[in-house]
Amino acid sequence: MGCWRRRVRRGVLRTLVRMYAALLVRGRLWDGGAVPLVAGRYGPEDGPALPLTVLGDSSALTVGVLEGRHTNGARLAEDLVAESGCAVDLDVPARAGVTTAGMARQVAAVAARGERGVALILIGGNDVMLPVPLRRSAARLGHYVRVLRASGWEVVVGACADIGAAPALRRAARGPASRRSRALARRQTAAALGAGAVVVSLTAEEFRRRPEDLYCPDGFHPNAAGYLLYEKRALVAVAAAGRVAAGTRRELDGRPDAVFPDEWEAARNVTSEPGACFIPAQAGGPVSLHRYRPRRDVPAPGPALVPTAS
C-alpha cells in the first residue's frame, strides 16, 4: 500500500510540474530518453583508470544531443585521455528533471563506491525554474560536496548557467529566470568553495548572441555546439582535479589572475568571469581565480573513443 501511494504522489507531482512548465515554456521539452549511454572505460585497455563521474540534471546528462560522442561525459573522458594518456572510467548517474534536492541518491551511490576520482556536478536549472528556495538548494549542494570529498573524490561544480537566455522561455519568464540563475550561481559558488570544491563559471553570453547555433530544437536545452562550449571550460578544472586525484599536482598551470580572501567575495565575481576557475586553498580559506583561456594544445574532440562495458 505504501509503494502504491508513493507512485500516486510521484504521478501527481509530475503532472503538476508539467502544468507549471507549460506556463513558462513554449512547446514540448526534450527529456533524457534519447541520450545515449556512454559509461565505460576510455583510452588504453590496460593499466589504471581515473574514475570520472558526472552528476546532476539534464545539463549533466546532456539532454539535447543524440550522439554519444557529443555528451559531456564522453567529451571530457576523451579530452582527459588525450591530455594525460591514461585511461578514464566514466560513470554518468545524472538524471533529467532533478533539482538539487533530488540529487541525494546520486551522491550517496557515488560516495559508497570507495574510489578516488573526480566528480563533476552540473545542477541548478530546475531549481531556477521551479519555486524552490535557492538558499536551501545551495546549502544542499555544499553538503553533497562535503560527502563526496570525505569519500575521497575531488569535486568540480559548474555554477548555474543563465537559464533565462533560452528562446523557448515565454517572454515574461526570461527576466526572472536570469535573475534567479545569477543568484543561484553565486550561492552555489559560495557553498561549494566553502566545502572545498573547485567551481567553474558557466556564464556564456554566446547563448544570447547566437541562440540559433547553440540550442537544440526544443529551444531550451543546448545542442552539441552549446555543450562543447561548456565542456571546454569545465575541462580545465576537471583535468586539474584529475591530477590531484592521481597524486601529482594540485595547482593549475600559471599564476592566478586574482585572489579573494574567502568564498563569499569570490562568489560575487562568478557571473562576471565567464569560464573562470575558482580554486579554494582550503575549505573556508582564500580562493584563487584563473581566467579561462582556450587550450590550443588540447586537440578538439574527434570521433568518439568506443567505451567498453563496465
Side-chain angles (χ1 to χ4, degrees), residues 13 24 64 68 91 154 163 166 192 202 218 247 250 270:
L13 180 60
L24 304 178
D91 179 39
E154 296 297 324
I163 305 302
L202 296 184
D218 75 359
R250 183 167 187 82
V270 70

Side-chain angles (χ1 to χ4, degrees), residues 2-132:
C3 292
W4 179 82
R5 288 177 178 172
R6 284 195 294 272
R7 286 197 294 269
V8 170
R9 282 198 296 268
R10 291 193 194 105
V12 171
L13 180 60
R14 283 194 293 268
T15 300
L16 291 175
V17 168
R18 284 196 293 267
M19 293 172 62
Y20 178 76
L23 297 175
L24 304 178
V25 180
R26 297 190 300 268
R28 185 180 180 88
L29 299 184
W30 288 20
D31 59 28
V35 179
L37 299 177
V38 294
R41 186 182 179 104
Y42 289 72
E45 293 184 2
D46 299 324
L50 171 71
L52 170 65
T53 186
V54 185
L55 305 93
D57 56 19
S58 60
S59 59
L61 191 61
T62 329
V63 172
V65 305
L66 298 176
E67 297 183 49
R69 66 193 182 100
H70 292 153
T71 61
N72 288 326
R75 279 174 163 165
L76 283 168
E78 291 172 8
D79 282 350
L80 287 172
V81 170
E83 180 173 284
S84 68
C86 296
V88 171
D89 188 6
L90 174 66
D91 179 39
V92 186
R95 288 181 54 207
V98 301
T99 61
T100 306
M103 272 187 60
R105 287 187 179 181
Q106 296 178 37
V107 173
V110 171
R113 283 162 48 180
E115 294 180 304
R116 179 174 174 81
V118 178
L120 172 64
I121 299 177
L122 300 173
I123 192 73
N126 297 304
D127 297 79
V128 167
M129 297 300 294
L130 295 172
V132 300

